[in-house]
Amino acid sequence: MNTIDELKEPASLPLDSAAGNAREIAFLVYPGFQIQDLSGPLAAFEVAATINGGCRYQCEVVSLAGGAICSSAGLEIVTRQIRAQPYDTLLVVGGSMSSDPAILPAISDQLNIAAMRGSRRIASVCTGAFLLAAAGLLDGRRATTHWKYVARLQRQYPRIKVEGDRIFTKDQGIWTSAGVTSGIDLALAMIEEDLGSDTARDAAQMLVVYHRRPGNQSQFSAMAAMEPESDRIRQVLIYMREHLRQELSTEHLAAVACLSPRQFGRSFLMETGETPAKAVERLRVEVARLKVERSAEPIEIIARTSGFADPERMRRAFIRVTGHPPQSIRRMAGHA
């Protein structure tokens, strides 16, 4: 299987108003695909094409053989057979790939063909990242997937730089996104790259979703559902949650796990998809966020009781994890 290590980030070119030069966006589905992983980004591109008028997209849903493909919800979608010629953007939809394992090698081959023949962008929603990974397209690149499958993706494909705390990633023409609604965020980011921020914002308003939810925004509450395989790492997570106000260095946590710092760091990353430092920060932010949203407690006190050295460090952590400072989150909670 060929890995497309040499794939480069292409320049974003303006769309021509002529129908023949519309950018073709293909959504690749397979038996057991998740319907919202398809419908969300598809709607975003459709709305953007309508808003922009002269500059438009041409969207189609494709599969290996064409014809009716049944989703995980039982709803069938009529598809066209994927072609050999490259699409501008080929987006692999997430879903239950175990429903027909025999299709995986064939899809991997199609993805490699798309990369070699010049598709400008190849992307995935949710577990579609596993198909990109199987094709070798994510080797050495940053990628994400649904929080439930982050650790599994890292274990199965250790050459990928899995970033489980991101809504979507973009690395040299390869895009990946987290679960379900994050596919809309990924599509809006592509639309902004193609047609500008005004069109992306207007499309978001038509879809009644947030505009410009940044790719590095956290998949909220992912940490609460982490399920590492080993008892040692599970015990460390419990220890983290119970001792957030204490100094939680890698060395200290390694001692809790009865491992060397190097062994611990490697094991923790493989089983959770996070470094110990990121895990501690995200746990602290999740605890502090609840207090910010649900109480009138001063930010300074919340920072101290959540384990942050000072309010400024908490503010920077909030921006990294949620995309917003604590004060903005409190205002948004108040409006809600």
Side-chain angles (χ1 to χ4, degrees):
M1 184 178 296
N2 295 323
T3 300
I4 315 303
D5 290 326
E6 70 277 10
L7 191 65
K8 301 298 183 183
E9 183 88 43
S12 181
L13 301 176
L15 288 172
D16 194 295
S17 59
N21 291 328
R23 282 185 172 157
E24 295 177 297
I25 315 293
F27 298 84
L28 178 59
V29 300
Y30 45 85
F33 74 93
Q34 216 288 333
I35 193 71
Q36 195 168 354
D37 287 355
L38 167 65
S39 61
L42 177 58
F45 284 111
E46 176 195 6
V47 168
T50 303
I51 289 171
N52 202 261
C55 298
R56 61 192 212 89
Y57 294 108
Q58 180 178 320
C59 299
E60 62 181 50
V61 183
V62 301
S63 62
L64 292 179
I69 302 294
C70 191
S71 71
S72 59
L75 178 65
E76 287 191 339
I77 298 293
V78 177
T79 69
R80 295 182 181 178
Q81 184 174 16
I82 191 170
R83 69 183 192 214
Q85 292 81 10
Y87 300 93
D88 175 83
T89 300
L90 178 60
L91 192 151
V92 182
V93 173
S96 175
M97 289 162 281
S98 60
S99 59
D100 190 358
I103 68 172
L104 299 184
I107 290 180
S108 294
D109 290 344
Q110 289 293 336
L111 291 172
N112 272 300
I113 289 171
M116 286 187 292
R117 294 190 176 178
S119 286
R120 186 170 65 95
R121 291 184 298 222
I122 298 177
S124 66
V125 178
C126 196
T127 52
F130 284 84
L131 291 166
L132 269 60
L137 297 180
L138 298 181
D139 287 354
R141 291 191 170 90
R142 296 179 297 107
T144 193
T145 187
H146 190 287
W147 58 262
K148 186 176 181 180
Y149 303 102
V150 164
R152 176 180 163 189
L153 184 64
Q154 187 68 79
R155 283 197 304 271
Q156 285 187 219
Y157 302 98
R159 294 185 63 186
I160 301 174
K161 301 172 185 176
V162 180
E163 298 185 349
D165 59 344
R166 289 178 175 261
I167 290 177
F168 65 85
T169 64
K170 171 189 175 186
D171 195 335
Q172 300 183 54
I174 305 292
W175 300 58
T176 60
S177 64
V180 193
T181 59
S182 64
I184 299 175
D185 296 296
L186 177 141
L188 288 171
M190 290 181 173
I191 291 164
E192 181 166 347
E193 180 179 83
D194 294 342
L195 304 176
S197 59
D198 288 347
T199 300
R201 183 185 60 250
D202 291 345
Q205 289 175 346
M206 289 293 292
L207 294 167
V208 197
V209 297
Y210 286 110
H211 173 231
R212 205 193 291 265
R213 226 177 21 146
N216 62 357
Q217 183 165 316
S218 169
Q219 299 180 49
F220 297 133
S221 300
M223 289 293 298
M226 277 189 172
E227 297 181 359
E229 292 183 348
S230 70
D231 289 338
R232 286 182 175 182
I233 303 303
R234 277 197 293 270
Q235 288 301 316
V236 169
L237 283 172
I238 293 171
Y239 184 88
M240 285 180 179
R241 294 186 182 105
E242 294 177 348
H243 298 83
L244 286 177
R245 296 180 67 174
Q246 298 180 14
E247 177 68 26
L248 296 175
S249 65
T250 298
E251 290 74 17
H252 181 74
L253 295 173
V256 172
C258 299
L259 295 170
S260 71
R262 184 174 181 180
Q263 286 177 312
F264 169 68
R266 184 166 57 245
S267 298
F268 193 93
L269 179 62
M270 289 296 293
E271 293 193 36
T272 69
E274 299 277 4
T275 65
K278 278 191 173 183
V280 169
E281 179 179 78
R282 292 187 62 198
L283 277 172
R284 285 173 172 157
V285 168
E286 287 184 3
V287 168
R289 180 188 174 112
L290 289 175
K291 296 178 181 179
V292 167
E293 289 180 329
R294 300 178 183 180
S295 76
E297 208 173 6
I299 297 297
E300 294 78 7
I301 294 176
I302 292 175
R304 185 168 65 251
T305 58
S306 302
F308 293 101
D310 54 67
E312 177 57 26
R313 291 191 186 184
M314 186 174 84
R315 187 188 71 83
R316 292 198 298 266
F318 262 65
I319 292 172
R320 281 192 294 269
V321 174
T322 72
H324 303 280
Q327 292 83 354
S328 295
I329 287 178
R330 175 164 281 176
R331 283 196 298 272
M332 287 187 284
H335 290 319

